[in-house]
């Protein structure tokens, strides 16, 4: 899909992602920030579609935008933050932070020089190409079955940990 | 098929924005959200390499990154809730008890 339409779509998605990320980290109202992060995640899902990771795009929309972000929004509404919004948004050292962000992006940009990238193997695809979903699912449940189970264990530990941390202490 | 270079550039820029937000914001919840932005930037680069190298493993690693991000959100927000109960407010500048 090296077409003009693909390129245009990618550059639109990239520009919208960067803009919504900048808005997300600079808005004063945390709820507005969350909504900009939602925009960012949906555009990143579009980027995943363009690079041929359909399953990852679906998981991005369902899990990130659907579950994690809604969890953050619920949490924001659980706390009463009206006083916090009046204060300054950034610490006094924010120029250093922006410099650190720029520095990291510049370093990573330098490291993406074409000479440093591994060349694609260009393997001859024998037989009918599998769909993305079926190939990812097959790999997930055969080659990566053990890491998959460990991920479920991590999620269980996180659930129990969150309940223990957030539980109100009852004084006897 | 999008070439891998622009994807990596997008990933680097998003990671830089997330890094600046994590270091600069005072609201601890927005610091956690900046961590989510950084994890998402890494997922973009994993997916781009997965396509570039014609290998599914990048996408599988990205799936595990999403699972760990969910766990991080749950534990992090539980911590913020416990913190908020002891001393109201979510500004990191109030949390100086361990400073000497």
């Amino acid at each position: 899909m090296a077409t003009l339409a693909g390129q245009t779509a990618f550059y639109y998605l990239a520009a919208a992602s960067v803009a919504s990320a900048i808005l997300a980290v600079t808005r004063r109202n945390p709820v507005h920030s969350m909504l900009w992060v939602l925009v960012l995640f949906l555009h990143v899902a579009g980027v995943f579609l363009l690079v041929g990771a359909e399953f990852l795009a679906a998981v991005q929309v369902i899990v990130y935008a659907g579950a994690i972000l809604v969890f953050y929004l619920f949490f924001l509404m659980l706390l009463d933050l009206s006083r916090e919004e009046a204060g300054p948004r950034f610490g006094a050292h924010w120029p250093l932070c922006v410099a650190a962000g720029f520095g990291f992006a510049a370093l990573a940009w330098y490291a993406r020089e074409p000479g440093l990238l591994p060349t694609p193997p260009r393997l001859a695809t024998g037989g009918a190409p599998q769909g993305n979903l079926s190939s990812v699912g097959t790999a997930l449940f055969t080659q990566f079955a053990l890491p998959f189970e460990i991920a479920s264990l991590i999620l269980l530990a996180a659930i129990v940990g969150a309940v223990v941390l957030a539980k109100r202490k009852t004084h006897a | 098929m999008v070439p891998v270079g622009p994807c990596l550039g997008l990933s680097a820029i998003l990671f830089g924005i997330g890094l600046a937000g994590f270091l600069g914001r005072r609201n601890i919840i927005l610091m956690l959200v900046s961590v989510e932005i950084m994890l998402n930037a890494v997922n973009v680069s994993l997916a781009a390499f997965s396509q570039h190298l014609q290998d599914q493993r990048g996408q599988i690693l990205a799936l595990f990154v999403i699972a760990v991000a969910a766990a991080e959100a749950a534990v992090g927000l539980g911590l913020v809730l416990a913190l908020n109960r002891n001393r109201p407010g979510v500004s990191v500048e109030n949390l100086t008890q361990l400073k000497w």
Side-chain angles (χ1 to χ4, degrees), chain A residues 97-98 100-102 104-105, chain B residues 10-21 38 41:
Chain A
C97 306
V98 175
F102 266 113
F104 180 85
Chain B
L10 171 65
S11 167
I13 293 170
L14 284 182
F15 196 97
I17 294 170
L19 184 63
M38 285 153 77

Side-chain angles (χ1 to χ4, degrees), chain A residues 1 25 27 41 88 91 120 166, chain B residues 1 24-26 40 52 85 89:
Chain A
M1 199 176 64
V25 299
R27 288 306 90 190
F41 285 172
Chain B
M1 183 164 169
R25 283 306 289 242
R26 292 168 71 246
N40 227 305
H52 181 69
R85 185 173 303 134

Side-chain angles (χ1 to χ4, degrees), chain A residues 114-124, chain B residues 1-5 48-55:
Chain A
L116 296 176
L117 286 181
T119 49
R122 293 279 167 240
L123 34 93
Chain B
M1 183 164 169
V2 177
V4 66
F49 272 120
S50 167
Q51 184 216 32
H52 181 69
L53 302 174
Q54 295 292 307
D55 192 334

Side-chain angles (χ1 to χ4, degrees), chain B residues 3-98:
Chain B
V4 66
C7 281
L8 294 186
L10 171 65
S11 167
I13 293 170
L14 284 182
F15 196 97
I17 294 170
L19 184 63
F22 176 76
L23 294 175
R25 283 306 289 242
R26 292 168 71 246
N27 189 331
I28 197 164
I29 299 173
L30 286 172
M31 288 170 70
L32 286 174
V33 170
S34 301
V35 173
E36 302 285 344
I37 295 176
M38 285 153 77
L39 288 169
N40 227 305
V42 172
N43 279 350
V44 171
S45 112
L46 282 174
F49 272 120
S50 167
Q51 184 216 32
H52 181 69
L53 302 174
Q54 295 292 307
D55 192 334
Q56 298 290 338
R57 281 177 291 180
Q59 294 182 30
I60 296 201
L61 186 52
L63 286 178
F64 288 134
V65 169
I66 290 179
V68 171
E72 175 252 325
V75 175
L77 292 182
L79 277 172
V80 175
L81 192 60
L83 210 57
N84 192 65
R85 185 173 303 134
N86 289 327
R87 42 179 65 221
V90 289
S91 172
V92 284
E93 286 165 3
N94 297 335
L95 309 174
T96 52
Q97 275 198 318
L98 286 180

